[in-house]
């Protein structure tokens, strides 16, 4: 049982309220409780209360017995350890979905692989981004999670989430780690080289172009030129022979297809996978060949 299930059980068993089926003045309507759970210590307050918008649930530990306080303390500690900073003010908003995600555990192998390879913050961003990706694949609205990732982690969070959504960690960053550590004998030096390249990828979006709604085929062509020049300058051709273009939505797919037809043939751009609402194109990182087309 994860922390959210334990918390629901605690509130139900100790305070005799089922928070999944409770709303102010009506015990049979689902509680919204969107934003936070607040723990207070006040002898004049009720053991459990809700704000007028039903977006905050307040538990008063002063009205709990010592054993109950200890039990609640363990649950909150577990919640904080599992969900870190991003979720601590949105426990009820994401908790049910996060609970389901942890039970499904679809990304256990990937998280296990990167746990000791990324910084603490980057690993946390990856973990949350994988959670976001899993909900998106279930056709759920993930806009609030995206907003919170950017709010908490800025452009770095956004970039890692984008890389995660296009399976870059599985298909490029994991192989990148393995190639570098196989080719460099000293593992400390290999770590340094990996982090240098990883930082460039995350910070600058190198090796990946994400096509957005307002990007024209001409703007895409200019961005590809810039990415290839950066890739050659930083020696990325030694790491990967391909630059990848990713697009979601039919309009963005059309932009990429138009670019491939008008600019991509000569530089050997290849459509790797395409559907109505998605496309991935690989371009050989060949600076001289690309200059001939520009």
């Amino acid at each position: 049982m994860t922390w959210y299930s334990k918390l629901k059980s605690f509130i139900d068993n100790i305070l005799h309220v089922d928070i999944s089926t409770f709303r102010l003045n009506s015990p049979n309507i689902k509680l919204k409780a969107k934003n936070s759970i607040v723990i207070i210590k006040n002898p004049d307050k009720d053991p459990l209360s809700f704000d007028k918008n039903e977006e905050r649930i307040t538990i008063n530990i002063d009205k709990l017995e010592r054993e109950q306080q200890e039990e609640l303390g363990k649950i909150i500690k577990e919640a904080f350890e599992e969900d870190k900073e991003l979720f601590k003010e949105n426990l009820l908003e994401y908790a049910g979905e996060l609970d389901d995600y942890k039970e499904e555990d679809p990304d256990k192998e990937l998280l296990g692989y990167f746990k000791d390879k990324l910084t603490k913050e980057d690993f946390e961003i990856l973990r949350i981004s994988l959670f976001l990706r899993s909900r998106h694949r279930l056709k759920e609205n993930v806009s609030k999670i995206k907003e919170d990732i950017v709010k908490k982690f800025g452009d770095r969070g956004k970039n890692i989430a984008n890389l995660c959504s296009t399976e870059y960690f599985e298909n490029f960053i994991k192989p990148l780690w393995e190639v570098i550590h196989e080719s460099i004998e000293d593992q400390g030096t290999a770590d340094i080289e990996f982090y240098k390249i990883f930082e460039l990828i995350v910070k600058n979006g190198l090796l990946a172009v994400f096509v957005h709604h307002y990007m024209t085929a001409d703007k895409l062509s200019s961005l590809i030129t810039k990415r290839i020049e950066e890739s050659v300058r930083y020696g990325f051709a030694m790491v990967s022979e391909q630059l990848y273009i990713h697009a979601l939505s039919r309009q963005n797919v059309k932009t990429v297809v138009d670019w491939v037809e008008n600019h991509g043939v000569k530089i050997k751009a290849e459509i790797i996978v395409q559907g109505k609402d998605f496309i991935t194109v690989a371009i050989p990182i060949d600076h001289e060949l690309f200059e001939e087309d520009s």
Side-chain angles (χ1 to χ4, degrees):
M1 183 185 295
T2 58
W3 72 264
Y4 181 60
S5 299
K6 292 176 184 177
L7 182 59
K8 287 176 65 177
S9 178
F10 176 86
I11 295 174
D12 185 23
N13 295 331
I14 304 301
L15 303 175
H16 308 294
V17 174
D18 180 355
I19 65 170
S20 66
T21 58
F22 181 89
R23 180 179 286 178
L24 286 177
N25 302 320
S26 178
N28 298 314
I29 304 176
K30 186 177 180 182
L31 170 70
K32 291 181 179 179
K34 291 181 179 179
N35 292 332
S36 58
I37 299 172
V38 178
I39 310 297
I40 65 171
K41 184 178 176 62
N42 190 325
D44 299 322
K45 297 290 185 180
D46 293 332
L48 183 71
S49 59
F50 302 87
D51 73 347
K52 64 180 180 180
N53 296 319
E54 302 161 21
E55 295 183 346
R56 175 179 294 177
I57 179 171
T58 301
I59 301 174
N60 181 14
I61 61 172
D62 237 8
K63 293 296 181 71
L64 302 180
E65 297 176 3
R66 184 176 182 81
E67 290 182 359
Q68 296 168 351
Q69 292 177 9
E70 291 176 354
E71 182 180 348
L72 179 59
K74 290 178 182 178
I75 295 171
I76 298 304
K77 184 174 184 293
E78 183 178 335
F80 184 79
E81 288 175 347
E82 285 187 8
D83 300 321
K84 305 302 189 239
E85 294 292 331
L86 179 61
F87 292 117
K88 73 176 182 180
E89 293 182 355
N90 298 282
L91 297 184
L92 285 180
E93 183 170 2
Y94 303 139
E97 294 176 8
L98 190 59
D99 225 19
D100 292 340
Y101 171 71
K102 287 173 181 173
E103 286 186 15
E104 296 158 7
D105 209 8
D107 303 302
K108 179 180 179 180
E109 184 179 344
L110 187 65
L111 286 169
Y113 183 85
F114 281 108
K115 185 170 180 60
D116 299 320
K117 295 178 174 65
L118 301 179
T119 65
K120 201 170 182 180
E121 180 179 273
D122 285 346
F123 181 77
E124 179 64 11
I125 299 172
L126 174 62
R127 190 177 70 87
I128 297 166
S129 297
L130 288 168
F131 164 63
L132 181 152
R133 186 177 76 178
S134 73
R135 299 303 97 182
H136 178 71
R137 287 175 173 176
L138 293 174
K139 310 298 184 184
E140 294 181 7
N141 187 338
V142 296
S143 57
K144 186 64 172 66
I145 305 175
K146 286 181 178 179
E147 290 173 8
D148 283 348
I149 288 175
V150 175
K151 182 178 179 181
K152 175 65 182 177
F153 299 107
D155 286 342
R156 189 173 193 85
K158 179 184 69 175
N159 291 345
I160 289 178
N162 283 340
L163 291 168
C164 180
S165 69
T166 51
E167 299 187 356
Y168 245 62
F169 279 86
E170 294 97 323
N171 297 329
F172 180 77
I173 297 174
K174 182 179 176 181
L176 172 66
W177 172 277
E178 292 169 353
V179 166
I180 290 176
H181 284 75
E182 286 171 3
S183 60
I184 299 177
E185 185 174 349
D186 183 82
Q187 295 302 286
T189 303
D191 287 348
I192 292 170
E193 291 303 310
F194 169 79
Y195 291 127
K196 262 201 287 190
I197 297 171
F198 180 74
E199 188 65 24
L200 287 169
I201 295 169
V202 171
K203 188 175 180 180
N204 302 314
L206 293 177
L207 297 177
V209 174
F210 302 95
V211 180
H212 57 72
H213 180 70
Y214 299 104
M215 188 179 291
T216 64
D218 286 341
K219 287 182 179 178
L220 175 59
S221 189
S222 298
L223 184 56
I224 290 169
T225 301
K226 179 182 177 183
R227 287 291 186 266
I228 290 182
E229 288 174 349
E230 289 172 336
S231 298
V232 172
R233 184 184 311 128
Y234 289 111
F236 273 43
M238 301 295 291
V239 177
S240 173
E241 297 177 352
Q242 306 288 328
L243 173 75
Y244 292 93
I245 305 171
H246 303 284
L248 300 174
S249 86
R250 295 187 185 186
Q251 180 175 330
N252 293 339
V253 169
K254 184 179 184 303
T255 298
V256 174
V257 170
D258 288 347
W259 176 85
V260 171
E261 292 175 350
N262 294 313
H263 303 279
V265 175
K266 194 172 181 180
I267 62 170
K268 301 180 180 178
E270 179 184 0
I271 296 175
I272 302 300
V273 61
Q274 180 181 358
K276 291 181 180 179
D277 298 307
F278 64 90
I279 190 170
T280 293
V281 173
I283 304 171
I285 299 179
D286 186 333
H287 190 58
E288 293 182 1
L289 181 60
F290 196 84
E291 281 184 336
E292 292 175 6
D293 186 62
S294 42

